[in-house]
């Protein structure tokens, strides 16, 4: 069982990791694509601003006339550093001549003048520049100006040819992926969501499986009840034998007290005998209801009171075997909605088995502990017996399995069936120091 549970947990962990990785990958990829689109839009804005400035340079060239209006022009276009005549000795071969330090000459051979333009002032004034690791302006394979430094881990690159007749520059840019701008809190929320979803689905599947097992078991009992009537009758005879023996013992005690004229002790003995008779009536009524498939009525129950009642029913066995019962009930006791007779029958079977398992052992004991575990009530019944063998642990809830020669093997099967009918579960285990431990989980319901 431990290997199967570990394997199931490993598979659930693997599914969670796979779903979390896939969803995180899709989310991160979508956000990176969005960031890339934003960066592309910023790059296009830089290119559009530069093309507008280059177009303005082309429009200004025909208006130049030996420096007239240059001061006004420079105030409006600060990237224009100087106006100068074309050199006569070495006239430029084209309209653009690099001047170094991010500057270039824009030549006008028709008017024999040229403008010194500073590309640094032109590019650095753009607000979108801060979003890139490097922005470069190229001309005929030569670097006119470079803003920023090349990044070795840059994964995004852009390039755009600026369509200017006189200034055919190429604009390039690069940037790293902005991991710090991604919604990591959303990624964490997705992983948490998958964990909650997987655990919820697992719990629903387990509950459905338990209910199906309970329904199949009830269906199995319904189909085979006629064939197993002898075994069931033997089981009922076994269940009724204890209270009937107790009734006989109490009545005999009452007769002896009557002969001894100890009349004051007779009412208590008769009251105990009446309690056993009522238990016989309850068992017969429950048997009749099960045969007729009558629905059981659920109502608020007091676990402490039901357990005390079971102790009273098994008082003779407890005293004869000298079994010490230790109870751990919280205060206040959590409310529970269940079928009282079913819960009493489960406790009766557990306590009776614990008493029989410790016959002949020194200082026998039985412990019952009640605690709240989330939305469930946890009830542990343990004893100081020899514990359960490996075969008993795997077959304890199988019908007609018993380790006693006089046993029928229906007590624990009935306990599990009644527990499952109340949407609960029961498990058997051994304490490390010895002794058997049966644990019930019953769902807490609003009263």
């Amino acid at each position: 069982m431990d290997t199967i549970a570990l394997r199931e947990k490993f598979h659930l962990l693997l599914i969670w990791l796979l779903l979390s990785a896939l969803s995180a990958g899709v989310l991160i990829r979508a956000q990176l694509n969005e960031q890339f689109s934003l960066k592309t839009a910023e790059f296009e804005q830089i290119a559009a601003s530069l093309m507008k400035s280059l177009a303005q340079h082309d429009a200004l060239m025909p208006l130049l006339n030996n420096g007239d209006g240059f001061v006004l022009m420079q105030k409006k276009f600060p990237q224009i550093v100087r106006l100068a005549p074309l050199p006569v000795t070495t006239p430029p071969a084209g309209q653009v001549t690099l001047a170094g330090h991010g500057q270039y000459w824009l030549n006008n051979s028709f008017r024999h003048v040229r403008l010194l333009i500073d590309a640094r002032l032109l590019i650095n004034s753009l607000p979108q520049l801060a979003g890139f690791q490097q922005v470069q302006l190229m001309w005929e394979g030569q670097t006119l100006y470079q803003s920023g430094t090349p990044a070795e881990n840059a994964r995004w690159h852009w390039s755009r040819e600026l369509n200017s007749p006189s200034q055919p520059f190429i604009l390039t840019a690069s940037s790293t992926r902005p991991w710090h701008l991604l919604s990591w809190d959303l990624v964490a929320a997705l992983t948490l969501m998958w964990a909650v979803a997987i655990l919820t689905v697992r719990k629903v599947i387990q509950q459905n499986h338990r209910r199906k097992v309970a329904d199949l078991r009830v269906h199995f009992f319904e189909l085979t009840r006629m064939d197993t009537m002898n075994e069931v009758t033997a089981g009922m005879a076994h269940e009724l034998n204890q209270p009937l023996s107790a009734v006989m013992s109490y009545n005999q005690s009452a007769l002896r007290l009557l002969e001894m004229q100890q009349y004051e002790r007779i009412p208590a003995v008769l009251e105990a005998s009446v309690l056993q008779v009522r238990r016989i009536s309850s068992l017969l009524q429950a048997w009749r209801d099960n045969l007729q498939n009558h629905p059981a009525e659920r109502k608020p129950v007091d676990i402490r009171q039901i357990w005390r009642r079971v102790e009273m029913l098994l008082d003779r066995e407890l005293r004869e075997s000298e079994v010490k019962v230790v109870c751990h009930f919280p205060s206040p006791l959590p409310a529970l909605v269940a079928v009282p007779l079913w819960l009493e029958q489960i406790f009766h079977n557990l306590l009776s088995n614990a008493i029989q398992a410790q016959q002949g052992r020194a200082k026998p004991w039985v412990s019952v502990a009640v605690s709240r575990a989330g939305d469930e009530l946890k009830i542990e019944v343990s004893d100081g017996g020899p514990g359960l063998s490996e075969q008993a642990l795997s077959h304890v809830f199988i019908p007609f399995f018993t380790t006693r020669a006089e046993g029928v093997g229906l007590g624990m099967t009935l306990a599990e069936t009644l527990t499952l009918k109340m949407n609960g579960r029961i498990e058997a285990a051994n304490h490390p120091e010895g002794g058997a431990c049966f644990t019930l989980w019953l769902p807490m319901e609003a009263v």
Side-chain angles (χ1 to χ4, degrees), residues 349-364:
N349 289 339
L350 292 176
L351 183 55
S352 177
N353 287 348
I355 295 172
Q356 295 175 13
Q358 300 180 84
Q359 294 294 328
R361 296 180 69 90
K363 297 182 179 180

Side-chain angles (χ1 to χ4, degrees), residues 44-288:
E44 292 297 333
Q45 291 178 2
I46 293 176
S49 298
L50 288 178
M51 285 190 292
K52 179 180 178 182
S53 298
L54 297 181
Q56 291 173 344
H57 298 163
D58 291 334
L60 290 174
M61 292 301 292
L63 304 178
L64 298 176
N65 187 12
N66 296 328
D68 293 342
F70 176 74
V71 176
L72 182 61
M73 181 189 304
Q74 196 175 34
K75 289 182 180 180
K76 191 172 183 180
F77 304 101
Q79 71 270 20
I80 301 177
V81 179
R82 188 156 59 94
L83 174 65
L86 285 175
V88 180
T89 55
T90 56
Q95 290 186 282
V96 173
T97 304
L98 298 184
H101 303 292
Q103 297 179 343
Y104 68 95
W105 290 100
L106 181 59
N107 305 312
N108 188 338
S109 56
F110 178 74
R111 291 185 175 273
H112 301 286
V113 294
R114 58 180 181 174
L115 291 175
L116 182 62
I117 300 175
D118 195 335
R120 295 173 299 179
L121 298 176
L122 188 63
I123 295 177
N124 292 339
S125 62
L126 301 176
Q128 300 85 359
L129 192 67
F132 298 89
Q133 268 64 43
Q134 181 187 26
V135 175
Q136 196 173 27
L137 197 62
M138 307 288 295
W139 178 74
E140 293 185 354
Q142 303 180 65
T143 301
L144 172 60
Y145 175 66
Q146 175 179 298
S147 174
T149 56
E152 296 181 357
N153 57 345
R155 293 293 183 268
W156 290 346
H157 302 276
W158 296 267
S159 179
R160 178 70 181 274
E161 185 176 350
L162 305 180
N163 298 323
S164 173
S166 61
Q167 303 156 88
F169 300 138
I170 295 178
L171 179 67
T172 63
S174 62
S175 176
T176 57
R177 293 171 180 173
W179 300 103
H180 61 286
L181 297 179
L182 301 183
S183 301
W184 295 108
D185 53 344
L186 186 57
V187 174
L190 274 176
T191 57
L192 180 60
M193 180 201 71
W194 281 120
V196 173
I198 290 173
L199 292 178
T200 302
V201 171
R202 176 175 177 265
K203 187 173 183 179
V204 171
I205 292 175
Q206 287 179 340
Q207 290 180 347
N208 291 338
H209 176 70
R210 295 192 191 101
R211 290 177 182 176
K212 287 181 180 178
V213 170
D215 292 340
L216 288 175
R217 183 167 291 164
V218 172
H219 186 58
F220 167 78
F221 281 127
E222 180 65 24
L223 293 177
T224 59
R225 66 175 179 168
M226 297 305 298
D227 295 333
T228 59
M229 188 59 70
N230 291 335
E231 289 81 357
V232 175
T233 303
M236 287 303 300
H238 174 72
E239 293 289 338
L240 295 175
N241 182 56
Q242 289 180 341
L244 285 174
S245 299
V247 169
M248 180 178 294
S249 176
Y250 289 137
N251 289 342
Q252 290 174 348
S253 299
L255 289 175
R256 287 195 300 268
L257 292 173
L258 185 62
E259 294 174 355
M260 298 169 60
Q261 297 183 357
Q262 296 182 7
Y263 305 114
E264 69 280 358
R265 296 176 58 186
I266 293 178
V269 175
L270 292 179
E271 180 67 27
S273 178
V274 170
L275 182 62
Q276 296 292 341
V277 173
R278 289 176 180 172
R279 171 164 176 76
I280 294 173
S281 177
S282 299
L283 288 173
L284 291 175
Q285 182 63 41
W287 190 30
R288 188 183 302 111

Side-chain angles (χ1 to χ4, degrees), residues 202-430:
R202 176 175 177 265
K203 187 173 183 179
V204 171
I205 292 175
Q206 287 179 340
Q207 290 180 347
N208 291 338
H209 176 70
R210 295 192 191 101
R211 290 177 182 176
K212 287 181 180 178
V213 170
D215 292 340
L216 288 175
R217 183 167 291 164
V218 172
H219 186 58
F220 167 78
F221 281 127
E222 180 65 24
L223 293 177
T224 59
R225 66 175 179 168
M226 297 305 298
D227 295 333
T228 59
M229 188 59 70
N230 291 335
E231 289 81 357
V232 175
T233 303
M236 287 303 300
H238 174 72
E239 293 289 338
L240 295 175
N241 182 56
Q242 289 180 341
L244 285 174
S245 299
V247 169
M248 180 178 294
S249 176
Y250 289 137
N251 289 342
Q252 290 174 348
S253 299
L255 289 175
R256 287 195 300 268
L257 292 173
L258 185 62
E259 294 174 355
M260 298 169 60
Q261 297 183 357
Q262 296 182 7
Y263 305 114
E264 69 280 358
R265 296 176 58 186
I266 293 178
V269 175
L270 292 179
E271 180 67 27
S273 178
V274 170
L275 182 62
Q276 296 292 341
V277 173
R278 289 176 180 172
R279 171 164 176 76
I280 294 173
S281 177
S282 299
L283 288 173
L284 291 175
Q285 182 63 41
W287 190 30
R288 188 183 302 111
D289 292 341
N290 286 334
L291 289 176
Q292 297 177 357
N293 287 328
H294 286 171
E297 180 184 359
R298 300 189 183 191
K299 56 185 179 180
V301 297
D302 187 339
I303 298 178
R304 182 187 292 105
Q305 182 178 357
I306 293 179
W307 179 262
R308 298 300 184 195
R309 177 182 173 86
V310 171
E311 283 190 58
M312 186 179 300
L313 293 173
L314 295 173
D315 178 67
R316 184 171 60 89
E317 289 82 355
L318 290 171
R319 285 187 287 103
E320 290 178 355
S321 301
E322 298 182 352
V323 177
K324 179 182 179 182
V325 180
V326 181
C327 300
H328 302 279
F329 295 105
S331 182
L333 194 65
L336 178 68
V337 176
V339 181
L341 184 59
W342 289 3
L343 196 57
E344 179 182 326
Q345 186 65 42
I346 294 171
F347 286 165
H348 187 276
N349 289 339
L350 292 176
L351 183 55
S352 177
N353 287 348
I355 295 172
Q356 295 175 13
Q358 300 180 84
Q359 294 294 328
R361 296 180 69 90
K363 297 182 179 180
W365 59 269
V366 177
S367 172
V368 56
V370 178
S371 61
R372 186 165 186 169
D375 56 352
E376 293 179 316
L377 198 66
K378 180 181 179 183
I379 306 172
E380 289 183 308
V381 180
S382 53
D383 59 57
L388 300 171
S389 64
E390 293 185 5
Q391 182 186 19
L393 280 175
S394 58
H395 294 76
V396 64
F397 300 114
I398 295 179
F400 310 120
F401 173 81
T402 179
T403 57
R404 300 195 305 271
E406 71 280 4
V408 179
L410 292 175
M412 294 313 301
T413 302
L414 178 62
E416 186 188 31
T417 300
L418 296 178
T419 303
L420 292 173
K421 282 185 176 182
M422 291 186 291
N423 294 327
R425 65 187 191 278
I426 182 172
E427 294 180 359
N430 285 325

